Amino acid sequence: MCGIVGYTGKREAGRVLIEGLKKLEYRGYDSAGVALQENGQLIVTKAAGSVADLEKALNDQFKEVRVGVGHTRWATHGPPTDLNAHPHSSVSGKIVVVHNGIIENHRSLRRRLTEEAGYRFNSETDSEVLAHLIEYYYQDDLLEAVQRAVADVEGSYALVAACSEEPDLLVCARQDSPLIIGLGDGENFVASDIPALLAHTRKTCIMEDGEFASITPDKVIFYDADSLPVEKEVLQITWNQEAAEKGGYDHFMLKEIMEQPAAVRETLRQRVDVSSGLVELQELDLTPEQILNLDKIYIIACGTAYHAGLVGKLAIEKLAGIPVEVDVASEFRYRTPVFAENQLAVVISQSGETADTLAGLRMARARGLKVLAITNVVGSSVSREADQVLYTWAGPEIAVASTKAYVTQLVALYLVAIYLAQIRGTLEAAKAAELVKGLLGMPDQLKQVLSEESVAAIQAYCDYLVKWDHAFFIGRNLDYPVAMEGALKLKEISYIHAEACAAGELKHGPLALIEKGVPVIALVTQEAILDKTLSNIQVVNARGGAVFAITREDFKDVSRQVDSVFNLPRVNDVLAPILSVVSTQLIAYYTAVGRGSSVDKPRNLAKSVTVE
Ligand code: F6R
């Protein structure tokens, strides 16, 4: 999520780090910092804002320094401030660390280090604990201290540590967060992403989970999880800068679609107890009594986030038995909802800056409702103004069309639904545990939906769709909001007119538009109403419509009744939207590519809509 650069060699380290951080800046980070090894001291400079602000703060000092680490932060724990920016220093200043990822047990480690060693913490971040923990174990060997420290850590990390007593050395460790070593001649590099390395070297080694590396100007040694040295393959990078920023994909949108398994895993992290099968939402600041008394929830959002809200409504009503109203924020603010006691408002916004959503939030608060925000951006207006925030940890989303943020919004809403249900006693423990297990299995199921074979099947369908100017998406129950999201995504980036229709509503009007060959994408994932959806499909077939069904692999009947199918893995009805929507994202993407549209920046649209 954040950006890491490290250097040890013969050049001016500060310059190499600033240049590298600038190459990562396209993702929109919110603060940055470097630590430079100077005369037995690690000098840390940080700045909230852009890398240019950091460059100004550095002011071309430390020109003789040859070793250092740098970081650009995208806030997760604590707002973007100088203090929360990386690198973080240990108590004595002997150790510095830059870190990407999330330390799940940072609270207990913090407590332990404060109580046992009397350490004091300066920031609100989970990452700071790493610097202190490494110092705690340090006995003249940085590699060993890092190895012992990460053995105590639960969570994900790409980290680079430096120690003032071993001035040439950088030590790296990786678990669930990328880290790449760049090999030079008398100099070596480390970075979280390839773009930061390209100006200096194309010879790289990709670190694997559980591995460590010690880097000096002349040598890089890799170690496996058992601390035994390992040989690594050297990869020659052939991408240009632009391709590297997109991780080798043609567009940010595709990169972000492919990042969804990891984004879902991050959003679930720390929020479910695997052993008990319970959801634990520390962020939700409602007493059990308040939850038991909840009479109504308003969900307020725009566009894609609104579609997530519609899925949330169905899940909350089904699992927790609380009535939910979902509003497009621009409508909510001008209607007169009947506010009363015991109501909660939930606002959903990837950016946290959408003007209409903010206005809805303010209106709800002004009328005395508690507001829970679901957002992807720490420190955003929505997160500052809401009473409580549930962050989606999708990482920065660059493509205008939202994909990974949407899927993580779904995950957050499912967590809320299950949590409310647990407390209200509306869901049997075994059913709750089954859903939690289903959520935990989503990253792997998403990988299946994103496999080469699946993508090829979608591409083959898009060869058909690309020639049409109109398309329909149909579905019932939880498939309906997914149909709406699929239609929005298709029109947004391919400029094909796409309409979503509740499958049962076709006969009340839209059916008049179905004629021979008209593309109809049918979402068929709800086992409880499978027959109903299939009979709606028959009606389309009878008019010559060409039905492409997105369904479950175990719904064998579906393929016999449609022109073509895309099979999803077997999944619980409630959770199916997480998988099915990804196939609609791929449809939109490959159709847009086929039509030569500007995928990442569609015409007339902006990533963050801060005007009414
Ligand atoms: C569509 C899309 C938009 C946003 C909407 C709300 O792909 O991204 O519909 O969902 O503009 O934006 P946020 O979530 O930032 O409030």
Side-chain angles (χ1 to χ4, degrees):
M1 270 190 228
C2 306
I4 287 179
V5 185
Y7 176 74
T8 175
K10 50 200 174 190
R11 298 188 225 192
E12 188 186 330
R15 187 91 334 261
V16 175
L17 298 180
I18 291 287
E19 278 167 16
L21 294 177
K22 280 186 178 167
K23 295 289 188 225
L24 301 180
E25 226 186 356
Y26 63 93
R27 295 184 179 191
Y29 294 110
D30 48 40
S31 52
V34 293
L36 296 165
Q37 280 275 13
E38 201 195 35
N39 301 329
Q41 257 191 304
L42 281 160
I43 316 275
V44 176
T45 311
K46 306 184 191 188
S50 67
V51 177
D53 294 316
L54 174 66
E55 195 173 12
K56 225 179 277 161
L58 261 181
N59 195 21
D60 265 341
Q61 300 172 79
F62 318 116
K63 277 179 165 309
E64 299 310 314
V65 172
R66 303 288 172 247
V67 183
V69 291
H71 189 268
T72 43
R73 178 167 184 256
W74 198 76
T76 54
H77 290 66
T81 58
D82 284 7
L83 264 189
N84 287 337
H86 299 216
H88 290 290
S89 306
S90 62
V91 187
S92 69
K94 188 159 65 180
I95 307 284
V96 295
V97 170
V98 289
H99 164 238
N100 289 352
I102 293 172
I103 306 300
E104 288 178 14
N105 57 339
H106 70 103
R107 284 192 193 85
S108 60
L109 289 171
R110 201 177 255 255
R111 214 175 308 121
R112 188 181 122 198
L113 290 166
T114 314
E115 284 164 13
E116 273 181 33
Y119 288 175
R120 278 212 320 272
F121 285 72
N122 293 314
S123 77
E124 297 165 61
T125 67
D126 54 328
S127 306
E128 188 186 351
V129 80
L130 289 169
H132 297 304
L133 196 59
I134 294 169
E135 170 154 331
Y136 180 77
Y137 283 123
Y138 185 74
Q139 285 173 340
D140 303 324
D141 185 341
L142 182 60
L143 174 67
E144 190 198 328
V146 170
Q147 287 168 329
R148 293 185 68 185
V150 302
D152 290 352
V153 161
E154 287 160 25
S156 60
Y157 49 82
L159 75 85
V160 184
C163 174
S164 55
E165 293 178 12
E166 296 175 72
D168 279 354
L169 177 70
L170 300 177
V171 171
C172 312
R174 175 204 155 130
Q175 182 65 47
D176 289 338
S177 191
L179 208 49
I180 299 141
I181 309 298
L183 306 173
D185 186 10
E187 58 181 355
N188 287 305
F189 308 80
V190 53
S192 53
D193 295 85
I194 285 170
L197 300 174
L198 283 185
H200 308 294
T201 180
R202 286 176 175 271
K203 272 167 52 182
T204 63
C205 294
I206 314 281
M207 288 185 68
E208 301 294 336
D209 283 347
E211 286 184 347
F212 300 87
S214 79
I215 313 177
T216 53
D218 299 312
K219 209 188 272 176
V220 179
I221 309 175
F222 293 95
Y223 301 87
D224 65 13
D226 300 321
S227 308
L228 298 170
V230 276
E231 284 294 318
K232 301 279 295 178
E233 189 189 346
V234 177
L235 287 178
Q236 191 74 26
I237 304 293
T238 52
W239 300 337
N240 61 23
Q241 188 69 34
E242 199 197 333
E245 287 179 0
K246 293 172 187 154
Y249 294 104
D250 290 340
H251 299 96
F252 283 112
M253 183 178 173
L254 187 57
K255 175 173 182 268
E256 287 160 7
I257 288 174
M258 295 298 172
E259 283 170 351
Q260 291 180 114
V264 166
R265 202 177 51 218
E266 288 304 316
T267 303
L268 287 170
R269 221 179 256 290
Q270 281 184 295
R271 289 167 172 159
V272 287
D273 181 331
V274 185
S275 52
S276 66
L278 289 177
V279 172
E280 291 174 352
L281 284 188
Q282 285 164 0
E283 297 99 324
L284 212 61
D285 183 23
L286 293 173
T287 62
E289 199 189 350
Q290 284 171 321
I291 291 177
L292 284 171
N293 289 337
L294 268 181
D295 285 335
K296 183 184 281 183
I297 296 177
Y298 292 97
I299 298 184
I300 308 154
C302 300
T304 285
Y306 166 72
H307 295 153
L310 293 173
V311 174
K313 168 191 165 75
L314 295 176
I316 292 169
E317 288 182 342
K318 187 178 173 88
L319 304 179
I322 305 169
V324 181
E325 288 183 24
V326 192
D327 274 81
V328 167
S330 55
E331 289 297 316
F332 181 78
R333 62 189 295 192
Y334 295 116
R335 75 173 175 101
T336 37
V338 184
F339 291 120
E341 261 186 83
N342 301 326
Q343 295 182 343
L344 171 74
V346 177
V347 299
I348 311 171
S349 173
Q350 185 284 131
S351 63
E353 301 297 346
T354 302
D356 286 320
T357 309
L358 254 180
L361 179 159
R362 286 175 186 153
M363 174 169 147
R365 285 201 82 208
R367 300 293 299 272
L369 265 67
K370 273 206 167 208
V371 176
L372 165 69
I374 296 179
T375 181
N376 198 36
V377 181
V378 175
S380 58
S381 305
V382 158
S383 72
R384 289 197 311 270
E385 294 194 27
D387 298 287
Q388 37 201 323
V389 187
L390 189 56
Y391 287 108
T392 50
W393 285 324
E397 194 177 62
I398 293 174
V400 165
S402 183
T403 53
K404 61 177 180 169
Y406 173 80
V407 162
T408 54
Q409 285 162 359
L410 293 186
V411 171
L413 286 159
Y414 286 130
L415 289 172
V416 169
I418 300 170
Y419 182 72
L420 295 177
Q422 274 169 205
I423 294 190
R424 290 167 69 90
T426 47
L427 191 61
E428 283 166 32
K431 287 229 166 82
E434 189 191 317
L435 284 171
V436 167
K437 196 166 155 223
L439 280 173
L440 291 169
M442 277 297 153
D444 285 338
Q445 292 203 313
L446 281 168
K447 282 185 194 157
Q448 280 185 54
V449 179
L450 294 168
S451 69
E452 263 178 49
E453 196 188 336
S454 299
V455 169
I458 296 278
Q459 278 180 291
Y461 173 63
C462 294
D463 289 344
Y464 178 77
L465 184 58
V466 80
K467 301 182 210 98
W468 289 82
D469 288 328
H470 301 275
F472 287 86
F473 284 75
I474 62 169
R476 300 181 77 120
N477 200 271
L478 279 145
D479 284 334
Y480 179 38
V482 176
M484 293 166 85
E485 174 59 10
L488 176 70
K489 213 100 301 179
L490 185 67
K491 61 187 145 198
E492 194 180 1
I493 60 167
S494 76
Y495 314 145
I496 291 177
H497 169 238
E499 186 171 330
C501 185
E505 271 291 295
L506 272 171
K507 56 188 176 295
H508 297 292
L511 198 58
L513 294 171
I514 304 293
E515 53 188 348
K516 192 165 170 31
V518 168
V520 177
I521 294 150
L523 281 300
V524 195
T525 69
Q526 300 297 297
E527 191 161 18
I529 46 165
L530 182 56
D531 290 346
K532 303 282 170 204
T533 310
L534 284 175
S535 69
N536 299 140
I537 287 174
Q538 297 295 358
V539 172
V540 175
N541 287 338
R543 273 79 188 168
V547 180
F548 177 77
I550 295 167
T551 189
R552 274 173 32 177
E553 63 192 6
D554 53 316
F555 291 176
K556 300 289 180 207
D557 270 359
V558 178
S559 63
R560 285 193 282 277
Q561 306 192 36
V562 298
D563 293 80
S564 43
V565 288
F566 179 79
N567 280 324
L568 303 169
R570 205 184 178 117
V571 59
N572 184 298
D573 276 16
V574 179
L575 303 181
I578 297 183
L579 299 182
S580 57
V581 79
V582 172
S583 49
T584 68
Q585 295 166 353
L586 290 169
I587 289 175
Y589 175 76
Y590 284 108
T591 308
V593 170
R595 288 167 73 99
S597 324
S598 161
V599 172
D600 284 335
K601 289 192 179 144
R603 68 187 180 205
N604 309 339
L605 299 176
K607 184 71 188 158
S608 178
V609 187
T610 53
V611 290
E612 190 181 341

